[in-house]
Amino acid sequence: MSTTASTQDSGGARTEVQREQLSDVVVRFAGDSGDGMQLTGSQFSNTSALFGNDLSTLPDFPAEIRAPAGTLPGVSAFQVRIADYDIHTPGDAPDVLIAMNPAALKTNLGELRKDGILIVNTNDFNKRNLIKAKYEANPLEDDSLEGYRVIEVELQRLTRQSLEELEIDNRSRDRCKNLFALGMVYWVFSRSLDPTIAWLEKKFAKKPVIAEANIKALKAGYNYCDITGVFQTRYEIQPAKLEPGTYRSINGNSAFSLGMVAASRRSGLPLFLGSYPITPASTILHELARYKQFGVTTFQAEDEIAAVCAAIGASYGGSLALTTTSGPGLALKSEAINLALITELPLVICNVQRGGPSTGLPTKTEQADLLQALYGRNGESSLPVIAPATPADCFDAALEACRMAIEHMVPVIFLSDGYLANGSEPWRVPEVEDLPDLRRAFAERPAEDDDSFMPYRRDEKTLARPWAVPGTPGLEHRIGGLEKEDVTGSVSYDPENHERMVHLRAEKVARIADSLPPLEVTGSPEGGPLLVIGWGSTLGAITGAVNLAHAEGLPVSRVHLRHINPLPNDLGEILARFDKVLLPEMNSGQLASVLRGRYLKDIVTLSKVQGRPFSRGEILAAIRQHLES
Amino acid sequence: MSTTASTQDSGGARTEVQREQLSDVVVRFAGDSGDGMQLTGSQFSNTSALFGNDLSTLPDFPAEIRAPAGTLPGVSAFQVRIADYDIHTPGDAPDVLIAMNPAALKTNLGELRKDGILIVNTNDFNKRNLIKAKYEANPLEDDSLEGYRVIEVELQRLTRQSLEELEIDNRSRDRCKNLFALGMVYWVFSRSLDPTIAWLEKKFAKKPVIAEANIKALKAGYNYCDITGVFQTRYEIQPAKLEPGTYRSINGNSAFSLGMVAASRRSGLPLFLGSYPITPASTILHELARYKQFGVTTFQAEDEIAAVCAAIGASYGGSLALTTTSGPGLALKSEAINLALITELPLVICNVQRGGPSTGLPTKTEQADLLQALYGRNGESSLPVIAPATPADCFDAALEACRMAIEHMVPVIFLSDGYLANGSEPWRVPEVEDLPDLRRAFAERPAEDDDSFMPYRRDEKTLARPWAVPGTPGLEHRIGGLEKEDVTGSVSYDPENHERMVHLRAEKVARIADSLPPLEVTGSPEGGPLLVIGWGSTLGAITGAVNLAHAEGLPVSRVHLRHINPLPNDLGEILARFDKVLLPEMNSGQLASVLRGRYLKDIVTLSKVQGRPFSRGEILAAIRQHLES
Amino acid sequence: MSEQATLTRKDFQSDQDVRWCPGCGDYAILKAVQSVFPELGIPREKFVIVSGIGCSSRFPYYMDTYGFHTIHGRAPAVATGLKVSRPDLEVWVVTGDGDALSIGGNHLIHTLRRNVGVKILLFNNRIYGLTKGQYSPTSEIGKKTGSTPLGSVDAPFNPLALALGAGASFVARSVDIYQKHLVETLRQAAAHKGSAFVEIYQNCNIFNDAAFAYMTGKAERADANLYLEHGKPLTFGADGDRGIRLSGVGLEVVRVGENGVTEDDLLVWDAHAPNAALASLLAHATPPAFPTPVGLFRAAAQPSFESQVVGQIESTIEKQGSGSLESLLRAGETWTVD
Amino acid sequence: MSEQATLTRKDFQSDQDVRWCPGCGDYAILKAVQSVFPELGIPREKFVIVSGIGCSSRFPYYMDTYGFHTIHGRAPAVATGLKVSRPDLEVWVVTGDGDALSIGGNHLIHTLRRNVGVKILLFNNRIYGLTKGQYSPTSEIGKKTGSTPLGSVDAPFNPLALALGAGASFVARSVDIYQKHLVETLRQAAAHKGSAFVEIYQNCNIFNDAAFAYMTGKAERADANLYLEHGKPLTFGADGDRGIRLSGVGLEVVRVGENGVTEDDLLVWDAHAPNAALASLLAHATPPAFPTPVGLFRAAAQPSFESQVVGQIESTIEKQGSGSLESLLRAGETWTVD
Ligand SMILES: Cc1ncc(C[n+]2csc(CCOP(=O)(O)OP(=O)(O)O)c2C)c(N)n1
Ligand SMILES: Cc1ncc(C[n+]2csc(CCOP(=O)(O)OP(=O)(O)O)c2C)c(N)n1
Ligand code: SF4
Ligand code: SF4
Ligand SMILES: [Mg+2]
Ligand SMILES: [Mg+2]
């Protein structure tokens, strides 16, 4: 709520309720894993999206399926920022925090902004829960909450009360208390209940009592605010002025899945996914498994190696082949990725990064698999790496990954992360005919007397070899993981041939740079004292920070990389135009080391390795610091 | 024979045979895989070593077990350079080539130096073999061999003749023709037959006829030269002036194996090897399997992953744990290596690099797994990487790898290559008491009332955590792949703790740099126009080239890296002192990219990716070029 | 030094909060293990629990023994290295159906083939719990999950048949809530010298609730379970009058007293048979045609892998003496430069 | 377009020099495959040979069909992806005992469990050939090799028992030099709809010569082989008077005419039995107690994995029509900004 433009309007209000216009607001729902916080947050987001706000979300859930109720590791949270303008991040500090129990309060209070609104469910603040949350004293009873606008609500009692007449047990009643809370939030932000009511009716179509209970609780929460006047102010956030079009809210894994289906259609190739479940990538498998009417084959393999190998087999057979995983799984696939690389078969490897090393922080986000993606294979094995920048960008980046794979006959790594995978934002749905045309012909049966088919004869421009799929008469040939002779593809141990092939494979990837659009530099493209460069999911926080810096009049510019390998042709020149270059990344400086080596330019890392994304404030502070020193 | 000091001595010779003193000579034995070239070459090397020469060898064999006899892919070769001074490489171009068949001639002639001696087995130059070797005409009959000193010998016929009296079949007789050739070479280089005779007697102790046949053939070859005078000159290479001590000839895999046994003894920890066979690493498994009297346990696992996991289990239990592999196997192990990293268990991972990517060139050498070793794991996962420089150095480097692993509780990658693994050189055997003391105490049972054991409390200097092995009463604790809390080691999803642990793990490795000796700069340590920097097995070729350059008066200096991570503390300063830095490596510039990124110094790569080592000439040429331009 | 005399269940409870879902079958298994360990007369510090990744694999955190929560599927390999290098330790592996049979299938069968002396407890809930409910290699055909919205099409593994096919020397099955039976089965596993493979049916009440209700339900239990007891005829049913007999090379369910069948016709269970044929037959006896056999399928005395590996080392040292590093370094042909 | 009418063995010979050691058993297997393929009435371009790494895995280079020499142990996984996405192709996997049973064990058992319609030829030479002779998971106990100088200590896999334990629908065994038998076995494999697993004993004359001489030797052959023929009683021996009969749950070697045994007592071979029990028993019949069974152990009709995967896709499209990308992109709740 930092950049609010508030007006007062006590016109028709029954009590002294004021109306305030806000430009943006950050709300965080926090509770036990069993409290339905992800659902509650999603509903608030969707309703706001339908209303026309721009928004950005950040779910945050524990590694355990259901850690013991009431404990600190069991807390699940969902943050959403809604705004009447174009925003890029789910916000730094929440303006409003809903805490369903002591553990949720404990883990989330620290980030609530000073003077923020705090809604607490007092019924859960009993001795047992306080102990589980490792509170020595009841924070509601000492001065812990000073400086916040605390709204204490007996959520459990009130919800039960509102559902008294329904023939359900108390446990079922209690399960509705998140809807009661949501109703309250809807009231505060002057939102319609209709989208959520419609959604509940659909979701519980087969259990009408449950639908009714949830809807009743929702309305009760809303009415509770109306009647009791617990809030003195209602807020309004106007719709954002977005580009005209049809919008939907989408998270990164969904956008990626749709992008792959679109690529399948636009290339005319059936999509084949070989995958082994792993957080935070599994939902791509789940989503694509539902698209059988698009001819999508999903194969849940026995492990990551089988998953990528099956994808390689499918690619060999002429499918658009995909494998999805996260860090430890990418490590396992590395040997096989090199098989695709040397046999020059198209393949998309989607790696949704999470906190490492080893099992690490499986449900948290990080960008620390970059060097693994670039270099984690034996021998010289350069392959394209692309990193989407926002949840919705996963759609376009998927198409671009497929373009590179098909056009150049090469495995491509798509480097998403947990934040993109689960975070959502409004997405302007594109027209199908505007999507890139990805058709590429398979090698065709040669004329009867033509013996000249050469599986490693290359296209002059792309250096791609022909895609000669089994079943084509006359193209019978053998490929494999041993080094092959240039042009013929026969096994070759010849020293010079090996060197030539190493160069050809690298050059094929390097040439992709020629097909990339020029980079866009925001700020002063002609150069200046400071450039902030980012890649992948830091786009939002960096853009937000640079916008804030511009508002302060700071001379900072910004450029964002989507293609990590090959690097864009114009990058070197751009870097050279700036005195200082700052690179925020959610690792210890991985891309910085690559760029430094490539361009011999001193690039300063702003590192964050905490399993959560940058805030704008962190980056803004670094910008200020580097402009001063 | 380029730097010879020849004298004539026709004194007591029966015919006009001259005696010439040489300073060094390069001999290459080449034949079919079935011709026993590796054995022949080894014998010549050993005899020369026993005589006191310095030497360096380069075996080169095909990927097939026994490719069809007579074909080009079936050629097996062994090159050895012997000298009366301290040498570093197996030589660039052979001075003497023994070609047992047309295929061997075809694949090896190109490298024989002009005016070199060529011994050919004419019996094998029949039509069938010429076709198999893809010769259109018989090279013995056209002018292909002009410019070489060709010695045509009917090896097969002469060998059969010499073994006429023995009761063996012709096939067995033919198997001795390599010994006949060896006898000839011994005559040319004035070598004693005794070591080989002794070796044959031992090897065929159970088959005395075969021993006799081989010995007879050996002598026959020697006498053949004596009698027929096919050679006008005999050469002598005096013993080298090596440091006093006991010497033996050793290859890299053997030296590494002995180093590991020595480390086991010096640390008091039993050695455990978990491995899965793969060329060119398998011989380490074979060798260590024979050291049961040293308490060495070798476990041939079902795959590379099981191999490294078993080693991790053994390390957890208090063994000195080792796993050995080559490139594709390292890729497979990467997930598990991170488990050792995050649980902070000592482990040595020996990777004998071969030509990649994928199956690549399995029997050839390359240095292209460097970036994989440094970065091929998910998340932030810095670990020590050490690269031995010569076959014998594998012994010392093994001990150093173990030192780092044990002292810092960390997995260490030992980056050897095919050239070091199979190449051999004289090794001055160290005294056991001069070897480093690697003892480190396990954590001990705490006092009865002491509850303070903390599995992640670190040593202040090394940052190592305690090694608390199962079976110790009172130290029961749990470790695993999830992020852990600083000090306590409990599972922790706390953001700041994660960042702290990422830094601590990196810092632990970085601190190793403080224990490294200063780098030695040859040439002008104070700086100059050109520094050649190398790592791993290129030491020999670089040293040779720089020595040649110094002989030409060129102002070039040299430094060699053994520790790739962490890099030595003084490296940055050294680089800064030179105008240009040249880095020859058997890859496309992997270390160069790392050093450029780290030191922002323009480092120029001299790349060779041909599955074979640099020659001195190649490096010398690059030195000249860079000093000129 | 050793504390075994006084060990109790409490001694095996760690201070960590147990983080399985309320109602998860894993709790009961934890309880059973914590009951058996103190009975074994082994000092606490000698126990090591090695696990992979999955809900079940959180097990070591809750045991106050040495514990290693490794990576997905690899626990048998880590345990092998540990046991071979430290045969004095009691190494128990805890794993799930995905961990052991999907990604870890190969390590499992090789560990069983080698007969490494580790106890392997496979918590079979027929689902991937930790990754939120995908079908597993033990899910029944037609299973609808996130990754198989129209139902899975591939036949599941029969874990016991697979283990027997791999040459396992000890194979047993129990059920999370059969606490007494489970405890007894764990005791038998503890007593076995080589690899002991125990499949434990485990209810995942979140993603695959009531997967075993067909046999564990109150109404079904008596008729749906066949308790294997060595040396006893195979009978089952509420009235104990039903049984299993051989018919050709197969098995057949009969009722004693009907069609002239007497108790003598029933198969007498031999868990120690030298070959695995009968155990295989029983492993293939699956509902609805048969009651589900639980208990000890096979326990054959075979030398353990680690005893033989260590044996080779010990006998070499016995014969040749402990190696001299000095001589080793100087082995082969040497020469001296003065 | 299709050339099947006129295909001959020559059509399947590629122009590559065959690079196995002279005398290697692989040659005979190559010959057998090249004899069977032209008979099958399938166009040459429909054949794909997928292999792993090992001497045996060089196989595709020598066949003038499509071929994929993949990486060590992973051929079944690559083949699965190929077959599921292209059920019209004939996918044959060639693998070795190390490739299939050591590093690739898991992919093998999962492929068999799923019943993917690929033919798997396992060249079992009981040794690692390509890496120069280490012991393999099928080497006999006590095998002395480079990696086991004092002899191996672990029991080998019984590949057929393992395959059956994994649920394989087709299991057979033949021998490199039994050319006619091998050809017939390959024909049966070709005719099977799901996974066909064929173990082929193969002599590695360099690193494990004469490993199968006990049964292939001239003197031994008649008494040491038991040829399985569906519907025929199990007899063997030079005089054909010896046979196999059931004894309890096991098997027993008998002589017809002795102790009142008649031909009617012998087990009549049923390769199509619905359950794998009998096949398992036979798989466990090993020398010296039994002759080595060769031929078809099991061929059970079960739906193939790919047919069902494709079936779900086809029936969805049939019911819902081919998906509209436009609608998919606009699915869920949308709103419009003008
Ligand atoms: C290499 C790797 N791949 C995938 C995963 C994700 N993962 C964690 S547990 C699991 C399966 C769990 O199923 P199961 O073994 O049956 O255990 P349960 O949770 O049911 O007890 C998977 C796929 C991982 N952690 N590591
Ligand atoms: C990942 C990997 N690990 C190890 C190897 C080395 N390797 C190649 S073939 C082979 C075993 C070969 O044995 P088998 O499968 O029995 O085939 P054979 O040579 O006997 O036909 C091994 C270990 C490899 N190529 N790749
Ligand atoms: S998800 Fe299932 S298996 Fe996992 S803890 Fe919950 S109930 Fe247990
Ligand atoms: S090593 Fe053995 S298996 Fe390999 S080609 Fe030679 S004989 Fe055949
Ligand atoms: Mg499970
Ligand atoms: Mg083999």
Side-chain angles (χ1 to χ4, degrees), chain C residues 119-138:
Chain C
K119 324 297 171 209
I120 301 175
L121 311 183
L122 189 158
F123 296 13
N124 185 1
N125 55 14
R126 298 193 170 153
I127 203 80
Y128 289 177
L130 192 64
T131 47
K132 306 201 170 169
Q134 298 84 10
Y135 87 121
S136 94
T138 57

Side-chain angles (χ1 to χ4, degrees), chain A residues 305 335, chain B residues 276-278 302-304 332 359, chain D residues 51-54 57 70-75 95-100 102-104 107 128 131:
Chain A
I305 301 177
E335 189 207 5
Chain B
Y276 186 70
I278 187 167
E302 58 271 27
D303 65 13
E304 282 84 355
L332 287 168
T359 313
Chain D
S51 67
I53 299 285
S57 289
T70 70
I71 46 178
H72 198 32
R74 318 303 173 185
T95 179
D97 43 321
D99 195 58
S102 198
I103 191 167
H107 308 305
Y128 289 177
T131 47

Side-chain angles (χ1 to χ4, degrees), chain B residues 499-520:
Chain B
E499 189 157 79
R500 185 159 59 250
M501 292 301 277
V502 164
H503 288 161
L504 276 170
R505 285 188 291 260
E507 172 65 14
K508 186 173 72 165
V509 174
R511 284 211 189 160
I512 293 176
D514 298 339
S515 63
L516 304 183
L519 287 168
E520 277 178 47

Side-chain angles (χ1 to χ4, degrees), chain B residues 280-335:
Chain B
S282 310
T283 50
I284 301 171
L285 167 62
H286 299 180
E287 177 149 354
L288 287 175
R290 288 191 280 110
Y291 296 153
K292 304 215 188 305
Q293 72 275 30
F294 291 89
V296 176
T297 304
T298 55
F299 171 59
Q300 180 179 314
E302 58 271 27
D303 65 13
E304 282 84 355
I305 301 177
V308 64
C309 284
I312 291 171
S315 169
Y316 177 56
S319 285
L320 176 60
L322 167 67
T323 188
T324 51
T325 193
S326 183
L330 184 63
L332 287 168
K333 288 178 202 282
S334 46
E335 189 207 4

